[in-house]
mmCIF file of all heavy atoms in Angstrom:
data_model
loop_
_atom_site.group_PDB
_atom_site.id
_atom_site.type_symbol
_atom_site.label_atom_id
_atom_site.label_comp_id
_atom_site.label_asym_id
_atom_site.label_seq_id
_atom_site.Cartn_x
_atom_site.Cartn_y
_atom_site.Cartn_z
ATOM 1 N N SER A 8 -10.412 6.659 -19.603
ATOM 2 C CA SER A 8 -9.641 5.819 -18.691
ATOM 3 C C SER A 8 -9.299 6.583 -17.421
ATOM 4 O O SER A 8 -8.988 5.990 -16.393
ATOM 5 C CB SER A 8 -8.352 5.324 -19.358
ATOM 6 O OG SER A 8 -8.681 4.431 -20.392
ATOM 7 N N ALA A 9 -9.340 7.918 -17.502
ATOM 8 C CA ALA A 9 -9.136 8.726 -16.289
ATOM 9 C C ALA A 9 -10.408 8.687 -15.459
ATOM 10 O O ALA A 9 -10.388 8.399 -14.255
ATOM 11 C CB ALA A 9 -8.777 10.160 -16.656
ATOM 12 N N CYS A 69 -12.453 3.146 -3.128
ATOM 13 C CA CYS A 69 -11.919 3.359 -4.496
ATOM 14 C C CYS A 69 -11.060 2.159 -4.899
ATOM 15 O O CYS A 69 -10.780 1.277 -4.075
ATOM 16 C CB CYS A 69 -11.069 4.625 -4.561
ATOM 17 S SG CYS A 69 -9.714 4.679 -3.373
ATOM 18 N N GLY A 70 -10.646 2.164 -6.160
ATOM 19 C CA GLY A 70 -9.758 1.101 -6.625
ATOM 20 C C GLY A 70 -8.452 1.086 -5.852
ATOM 21 O O GLY A 70 -7.901 0.021 -5.542
ATOM 22 N N THR A 71 -7.949 2.259 -5.535
ATOM 23 C CA THR A 71 -6.687 2.367 -4.789
ATOM 24 C C THR A 71 -6.805 1.659 -3.438
ATOM 25 O O THR A 71 -5.896 0.909 -3.042
ATOM 26 C CB THR A 71 -6.328 3.859 -4.590
ATOM 27 O OG1 THR A 71 -6.214 4.475 -5.877
ATOM 28 C CG2 THR A 71 -5.032 4.025 -3.821
ATOM 29 N N GLU A 72 -7.923 1.878 -2.750
ATOM 30 C CA GLU A 72 -8.083 1.214 -1.448
ATOM 31 C C GLU A 72 -8.184 -0.309 -1.626
ATOM 32 O O GLU A 72 -7.629 -1.065 -0.819
ATOM 33 C CB GLU A 72 -9.325 1.734 -0.701
ATOM 34 C CG GLU A 72 -9.378 1.149 0.716
ATOM 35 C CD GLU A 72 -10.712 1.389 1.432
ATOM 36 O OE1 GLU A 72 -11.288 2.477 1.298
ATOM 37 O OE2 GLU A 72 -11.160 0.444 2.121
ATOM 38 N N ASP A 74 -6.729 -2.152 -3.896
ATOM 39 C CA ASP A 74 -5.367 -2.654 -4.116
ATOM 40 C C ASP A 74 -4.562 -2.656 -2.812
ATOM 41 O O ASP A 74 -3.877 -3.632 -2.483
ATOM 42 C CB ASP A 74 -4.638 -1.790 -5.161
ATOM 43 C CG ASP A 74 -5.175 -2.018 -6.571
ATOM 44 O OD1 ASP A 74 -5.806 -3.058 -6.806
ATOM 45 O OD2 ASP A 74 -4.955 -1.150 -7.441
ATOM 46 N N HIS A 99 -0.441 0.135 -11.920
ATOM 47 C CA HIS A 99 -0.826 1.476 -11.462
ATOM 48 C C HIS A 99 -0.094 1.760 -10.139
ATOM 49 O O HIS A 99 0.201 0.822 -9.390
ATOM 50 C CB HIS A 99 -2.349 1.490 -11.251
ATOM 51 C CG HIS A 99 -2.913 2.842 -10.984
ATOM 52 N ND1 HIS A 99 -2.970 3.381 -9.725
ATOM 53 C CD2 HIS A 99 -3.445 3.771 -11.821
ATOM 54 C CE1 HIS A 99 -3.515 4.588 -9.799
ATOM 55 N NE2 HIS A 99 -3.820 4.846 -11.054
ATOM 56 N N ALA A 101 -1.250 2.509 -7.473
ATOM 57 C CA ALA A 101 -2.038 1.940 -6.364
ATOM 58 C C ALA A 101 -1.514 0.557 -5.966
ATOM 59 O O ALA A 101 -1.775 0.075 -4.861
ATOM 60 C CB ALA A 101 -3.510 1.849 -6.748
ATOM 61 N N MET A 146 -2.107 -6.732 -13.211
ATOM 62 C CA MET A 146 -3.313 -6.007 -13.631
ATOM 63 C C MET A 146 -3.996 -6.726 -14.800
ATOM 64 O O MET A 146 -3.338 -7.421 -15.584
ATOM 65 C CB MET A 146 -2.971 -4.563 -13.997
ATOM 66 C CG MET A 146 -2.133 -4.416 -15.226
ATOM 67 S SD MET A 146 -1.206 -2.831 -15.365
ATOM 68 C CE MET A 146 -2.271 -1.606 -14.708
ATOM 69 N N VAL A 148 -5.889 -5.138 -17.240
ATOM 70 C CA VAL A 148 -5.720 -4.293 -18.426
ATOM 71 C C VAL A 148 -4.845 -3.116 -18.034
ATOM 72 O O VAL A 148 -5.106 -2.466 -17.015
ATOM 73 C CB VAL A 148 -7.094 -3.771 -18.926
ATOM 74 C CG1 VAL A 148 -6.922 -2.654 -19.939
ATOM 75 C CG2 VAL A 148 -7.934 -4.891 -19.531
ATOM 76 N N ASN A 150 -3.628 0.559 -17.906
ATOM 77 C CA ASN A 150 -4.389 1.798 -18.065
ATOM 78 C C ASN A 150 -3.780 2.786 -19.062
ATOM 79 O O ASN A 150 -4.480 3.649 -19.569
ATOM 80 C CB ASN A 150 -4.562 2.508 -16.706
ATOM 81 C CG ASN A 150 -3.261 2.637 -15.954
ATOM 82 O OD1 ASN A 150 -2.573 1.652 -15.713
ATOM 83 N ND2 ASN A 150 -2.901 3.850 -15.580
ATOM 84 N N ASP A 181 -5.661 -6.202 -10.454
ATOM 85 C CA ASP A 181 -6.244 -4.873 -10.475
ATOM 86 C C ASP A 181 -7.014 -4.800 -11.797
ATOM 87 O O ASP A 181 -6.416 -4.673 -12.867
ATOM 88 C CB ASP A 181 -5.116 -3.836 -10.414
ATOM 89 C CG ASP A 181 -5.618 -2.417 -10.608
ATOM 90 O OD1 ASP A 181 -6.699 -2.226 -11.174
ATOM 91 O OD2 ASP A 181 -4.896 -1.490 -10.203
ATOM 92 N N VAL A 183 -9.375 -2.555 -12.575
ATOM 93 C CA VAL A 183 -10.061 -1.254 -12.646
ATOM 94 C C VAL A 183 -10.363 -0.862 -14.096
ATOM 95 O O VAL A 183 -11.437 -0.342 -14.393
ATOM 96 C CB VAL A 183 -9.216 -0.173 -11.918
ATOM 97 C CG1 VAL A 183 -9.715 1.227 -12.227
ATOM 98 C CG2 VAL A 183 -9.227 -0.415 -10.411
ATOM 99 N N GLN A 184 -9.425 -1.137 -15.011
ATOM 100 C CA GLN A 184 -9.657 -0.754 -16.420
ATOM 101 C C GLN A 184 -10.318 -1.877 -17.225
ATOM 102 O O GLN A 184 -10.547 -1.719 -18.426
ATOM 103 C CB GLN A 184 -8.328 -0.365 -17.087
ATOM 104 C CG GLN A 184 -7.658 0.852 -16.479
ATOM 105 C CD GLN A 184 -8.379 2.167 -16.765
ATOM 106 O OE1 GLN A 184 -9.261 2.227 -17.631
ATOM 107 N NE2 GLN A 184 -8.024 3.214 -16.039
ATOM 108 N N SER A 206 -13.319 -0.323 -9.607
ATOM 109 C CA SER A 206 -13.682 1.042 -9.200
ATOM 110 C C SER A 206 -14.875 1.494 -10.030
ATOM 111 O O SER A 206 -14.947 1.209 -11.231
ATOM 112 C CB SER A 206 -12.474 1.942 -9.462
ATOM 113 O OG SER A 206 -12.770 3.267 -9.126
ATOM 114 N N HIS A 208 -15.956 4.650 -10.912
ATOM 115 C CA HIS A 208 -15.968 5.828 -11.792
ATOM 116 C C HIS A 208 -15.404 5.571 -13.179
ATOM 117 O O HIS A 208 -15.451 6.438 -14.045
ATOM 118 C CB HIS A 208 -15.275 7.021 -11.109
ATOM 119 C CG HIS A 208 -13.796 6.933 -10.981
ATOM 120 N ND1 HIS A 208 -12.953 7.643 -11.798
ATOM 121 C CD2 HIS A 208 -12.993 6.248 -10.136
ATOM 122 C CE1 HIS A 208 -11.693 7.410 -11.443
ATOM 123 N NE2 HIS A 208 -11.696 6.554 -10.438
ATOM 124 N N LYS A 209 -14.892 4.354 -13.423
ATOM 125 C CA LYS A 209 -14.408 4.039 -14.772
ATOM 126 C C LYS A 209 -15.523 3.429 -15.626
ATOM 127 O O LYS A 209 -15.330 3.181 -16.806
ATOM 128 C CB LYS A 209 -13.239 3.045 -14.708
ATOM 129 C CG LYS A 209 -12.134 3.420 -13.731
ATOM 130 C CD LYS A 209 -11.278 4.562 -14.187
ATOM 131 C CE LYS A 209 -10.126 4.760 -13.203
ATOM 132 N NZ LYS A 209 -9.260 5.866 -13.554
ATOM 133 N N ILE A 216 -15.861 5.294 -4.877
ATOM 134 C CA ILE A 216 -16.409 4.002 -4.426
ATOM 135 C C ILE A 216 -15.780 2.891 -5.271
ATOM 136 O O ILE A 216 -15.622 3.029 -6.484
ATOM 137 C CB ILE A 216 -17.956 3.964 -4.484
ATOM 138 C CG1 ILE A 216 -18.519 2.693 -3.842
ATOM 139 C CG2 ILE A 216 -18.494 4.122 -5.893
ATOM 140 C CD1 ILE A 216 -19.097 2.907 -2.495
ATOM 141 N N CYS A 331 -2.856 9.963 -13.264
ATOM 142 C CA CYS A 331 -1.968 10.047 -12.113
ATOM 143 C C CYS A 331 -0.562 10.401 -12.555
ATOM 144 O O CYS A 331 0.066 11.291 -12.018
ATOM 145 C CB CYS A 331 -1.924 8.727 -11.360
ATOM 146 S SG CYS A 331 -3.530 8.278 -10.789
HETATM 147 N N1 LIG B 401 -5.763 0.841 -10.995
HETATM 148 C C1 LIG B 401 -5.823 1.248 -12.269
HETATM 149 C C2 LIG B 401 -5.343 0.321 -13.337
HETATM 150 C C3 LIG B 401 -6.323 2.504 -12.593
HETATM 151 O O1 LIG B 401 -6.364 2.894 -13.869
HETATM 152 C C4 LIG B 401 -6.773 3.350 -11.536
HETATM 153 C C5 LIG B 401 -7.261 4.709 -11.831
HETATM 154 O O2 LIG B 401 -6.871 5.342 -12.793
HETATM 155 C C6 LIG B 401 -6.703 2.872 -10.220
HETATM 156 C C7 LIG B 401 -6.197 1.616 -9.981
HETATM 157 C C8 LIG B 401 -7.171 3.705 -9.071
HETATM 158 O O3 LIG B 401 -8.575 3.704 -8.980
HETATM 159 P P1 LIG B 401 -9.296 4.828 -8.121
HETATM 160 O O4 LIG B 401 -9.216 6.095 -8.904
HETATM 161 O O5 LIG B 401 -10.697 4.360 -7.951
HETATM 162 O O6 LIG B 401 -8.581 4.908 -6.823
#
Side-chain angles (χ1 to χ4, degrees):
S8 292
C69 55
T71 301
E72 187 191 321
D74 288 340
H99 189 274
M146 68 201 323
V148 167
N150 49 305
D181 173 338
V183 167
Q184 297 289 347
S206 178
H208 72 104
K209 310 287 186 181
I216 188 104
C331 300

